[in-house]
Amino acid sequence: MCAETACDSYYSCTSGLCQISAESCKRAETGEESGACDPEAATNTCLAESYYVKSGKLYYCGTANVACTLQETPLGVFKDAATDGNYITCTRQEHVGRRRSVTPTYDYTCTSAPVSVDSSQCTAAGVGGLYYVADANGTKTYYVCIAATGAGIPLGTASEYMVDVGSTALFSIQDTEKFVILSFDADGNASIAQYNINGTAKSSERYKYTNSKGLIFARNASTKTTANGVEGVCDASGPLSTIREYKRDFCSSHDEEDKLTDIVEYFVAVDRNSGGSP
């Protein structure tokens, strides 16, 4: 029986019929549930295609029950597979001291917390904050805010948004008159687009185009509506009325010898007479 706090799963027997208990026992010496995922272990009970956090570090487990991969430069929010309703937020701060081989001037920190803001706008959550909206059945839809006011962007729909980080930081990233791309995947995660460690961009496109809500479209897109319920690049008021153009600011992330100094992909707004103000 589970009479002590330090115990494994046990069997409950009644009239000769024994069944393993569904009770969750905790070991006194660790305070962790028996069988909990340890993303640093060579073999574990972690779920496939999921994120976990341990000691402030983010891990991605691509395959179940095998060693997970440490994410060296995480910036964004990631669904916590260990705790339902929790999201992992990852930020960075400038590293003081000896230069390191990977992203030498920054330290990255990740923390998991429940989404507690029940709202329909970003006023309470703030830029980079999370909130949820529950339907009549109690099912929650989670949103991340890319502006201080207005509605957030729903997590779980693959898309990309251009976000202004000139006056307000997004996951600790802030630079005057700069924009960054926030990439959403279908699994409920959102991260800031970054260069590969060798300095090359994951996307070869120098220019990006968005509608007035910041949703990025391919250059030749003519979509009028989207799954997110916002207008497309072209709408009823004219094909150029809502287009916003952004140019990759390669120099903000590289030195004069084209060596990588900051892995974040920065963009600047382009103001063309034919395209309206960005």
Side-chain angles (χ1 to χ4, degrees):
M1 296 295 290
C2 190
E4 304 292 337
T5 55
C7 63
D8 291 318
S9 299
Y10 64 94
Y11 285 86
S12 176
C13 300
T14 304
S15 301
L17 177 64
C18 296
Q19 294 179 315
I20 191 168
S21 173
E23 181 178 342
S24 177
C25 295
K26 293 186 177 181
R27 290 192 166 273
E29 64 271 20
T30 65
E32 296 181 353
E33 291 189 10
S34 177
C37 164
D38 181 359
E40 295 179 341
T43 58
N44 53 52
T45 59
C46 302
L47 300 176
E49 300 180 354
S50 298
Y51 286 97
Y52 292 85
V53 63
K54 181 177 182 180
S55 301
K57 298 178 180 180
L58 184 71
Y59 293 85
Y60 178 71
C61 305
T63 304
N65 305 323
V66 299
C68 303
T69 303
L70 173 65
Q71 304 301 289
E72 296 280 359
T73 60
L75 288 171
V77 289
F78 307 86
K79 191 175 182 179
D80 190 348
T83 307
D84 187 39
N86 272 34
Y87 269 84
I88 302 166
T89 299
C90 295
T91 59
R92 75 181 188 185
Q93 61 181 0
E94 188 170 355
H95 177 74
V96 179
R98 181 173 58 87
R99 292 176 66 88
R100 301 180 300 179
S101 59
V102 179
T103 58
T105 57
Y106 298 98
D107 290 316
Y108 293 79
T109 302
C110 300
T111 57
S112 177
V115 179
S116 58
V117 179
D118 180 0
S119 180
S120 60
Q121 299 290 319
C122 288
T123 305
V127 177
L130 297 167
Y131 69 86
Y132 69 86
V133 176
D135 63 18
N137 297 320
T139 301
K140 296 179 180 178
T141 299
Y142 295 93
Y143 296 79
V144 62
C145 297
I146 62 173
T149 59
I153 309 302
L155 292 161
T157 300
S159 57
E160 289 186 324
Y161 282 80
M162 192 69 71
V163 183
D164 185 352
V165 294
S167 58
T168 304
L170 178 69
F171 307 124
S172 71
I173 302 302
Q174 185 172 1
D175 200 336
T176 304
E177 297 184 351
K178 298 297 190 301
F179 295 78
V180 297
I181 294 174
L182 189 61
S183 299
F184 293 73
D185 66 24
D187 297 320
N189 312 297
S191 58
I192 292 177
Q194 304 177 62
Y195 289 103
N196 298 311
I197 297 301
N198 63 5
T200 61
K202 295 180 175 64
S203 167
S204 60
E205 296 174 337
R206 187 178 183 184
Y207 291 87
K208 297 287 185 179
Y209 300 87
T210 78
N211 61 13
S212 62
K213 300 297 194 303
L215 180 62
I216 296 174
F217 287 86
R219 183 169 182 171
N220 62 349
S222 60
T223 306
K224 293 186 178 181
T225 60
T226 74
N228 290 338
V230 298
E231 78 276 13
V233 170
C234 301
D235 65 8
S237 58
L240 298 178
S241 62
T242 64
I243 292 177
R244 304 293 184 266
E245 184 179 26
Y246 300 86
K247 179 181 178 181
R248 185 181 298 277
D249 188 8
F250 194 78
C251 294
S252 289
S253 302
H254 297 73
D255 61 19
E256 295 179 353
E257 298 178 351
D258 287 344
K259 293 181 180 179
L260 189 68
T261 57
D262 187 344
I263 61 174
V264 173
E265 295 186 25
Y266 292 104
F267 288 77
V268 293
V270 177
D271 186 5
R272 298 185 187 273
N273 292 332
S274 60
S277 60

